[in-house]
Every structure is written in structure tokens, then in C-alpha cells.
Amino acid sequence: LLDETNSLAHVGGWEIDIETQDLTWTKEGFTIHEVDDDFVPTVEKAIEFYAPESQPIIQDAVGRAIEHGEPFDVELQIITAKNNRRWIQAIGNTVLFNGKPATILGVFHDITQRKQAEQELIQAKELSEEKEEKFRKLFENSPIGKSITGIDGSLNVNKSFCEIVGYSEEELAGQ
């Protein structure tokens, strides 16, 4: 049941024994990293999966967890064994034994689809802003007098409109 729910949620679990540096992954951890079931994860190999720009961040987070017991929650990119880039949320929490860090437990959550959707929204917003800017320039610089009345009664006019009616934008405001 746990394997199936983790698969549905794209969440893999992991554990590092701080003393021995042994690393254990759940089944979904192998799937996220696109490695075979016989792959033997180590801390070093796990960090190597992170994209070069993400490696210092995860190394620092794991180091602080080992040294100071600090939890972490970071969103970083990995490059899988099949050379696919994926965004993951890596969450880790240190378990203390006799007041000292003993293990770090955590999850990898594949958030690639969410990151792609966020990027699409950013691009759509940029495109919308670009179109709005073009419309604004066309409206303002048109030699034809133009006015736009908002549903709230607001009035926007261009220079040509002001010249035609003989009033300034300020005088027309609130009209």
C-alpha cells in the first residue's frame, strides 16, 4: 500500500545512517532517479544525481543536518540515470539519539509537473504583459481619437481624443 501511494504521489523516501553513511531508498526513490532495483545508493552517488548548480545546495543542507540537526526543505533539479532533468523537493529531518544526530529521514517529491506548470504560467503572464504593452502603445499613439470606458465608469483617453474634444486627460478624469 505504501509503495502504491508513494508511486501515485511521486514521493520516494530515504534514510541516512549518520555513523555508517549507509543510505536507503524506497522503491519510488529508485523510480524517480530512473535506476534499476539493484542500484546501491550511497550519499556520494545520491548527491551526484543533483544538477551541478544544485549540488552545493544539497551538500550544505545535508551537512547542516548531520552537524547541527537542522531540518531542510529545498526544491532542486536532479539529472536521472537516463539523463532526464527533474525537479524534486528534498525534505530531510534529523533524528537524534542521546541528544546527537543519528539518522536523517526524508523524502524526494517529484515536482516536475508543478514546476512546468509554474513556468507556463510565467510565460503566459509575460506574453499577456507584452500584448498589453503593445495595445497601450497603439492606443496612446493612434492618430484616431480613442476612449475606453471601464465597467466601473473609469475613462481612458488618448492624446488625439483630447485634441478632438478640447479637454486634457485631467479635465476628462471622472467625467
Side-chain angles (χ1 to χ4, degrees), residues 18-131:
I18 293 174
E19 185 177 329
T20 66
Q21 292 289 295
D22 288 339
L23 174 61
T24 306
W25 284 354
T26 62
K27 182 178 178 182
E28 188 64 15
F30 287 83
T31 302
I32 289 171
H33 289 83
E34 295 184 316
V35 294
D36 295 327
D37 293 340
D38 61 351
F39 177 79
V40 179
T42 65
V43 174
E44 294 78 24
K45 287 179 187 176
I47 289 174
E48 288 174 3
F49 277 105
Y50 285 87
E53 65 275 13
S54 297
Q55 287 181 12
I57 299 166
I58 194 64
Q59 286 171 326
D60 183 56
V62 171
R64 286 194 322 268
I66 290 170
E67 294 297 318
H68 307 290
E70 291 181 27
F72 61 88
D73 185 342
V74 292
E75 294 182 358
L76 303 169
Q77 284 191 306
I78 63 168
I79 301 172
T80 70
K82 295 182 179 178
N83 209 32
N84 293 309
R85 274 192 178 250
R86 290 190 174 162
W87 277 97
I88 64 160
Q89 179 182 19
I91 303 171
N93 194 25
T94 305
V95 177
L96 304 177
F97 182 73
N98 291 333
K100 292 185 176 184
T103 61
I104 305 171
L105 299 174
V107 296
F108 323 103
H109 182 199
D110 185 343
I111 57 171
T112 303
Q113 288 181 333
R114 188 192 87 202
K115 286 291 196 177
Q116 288 170 341
E118 287 173 1
Q119 188 60 37
E120 288 171 9
L121 285 172
I122 289 168
Q123 289 171 343
K125 181 180 178 194
E126 289 170 355
L127 182 60
S128 175
E129 289 171 353
E130 183 181 311
K131 285 181 178 181

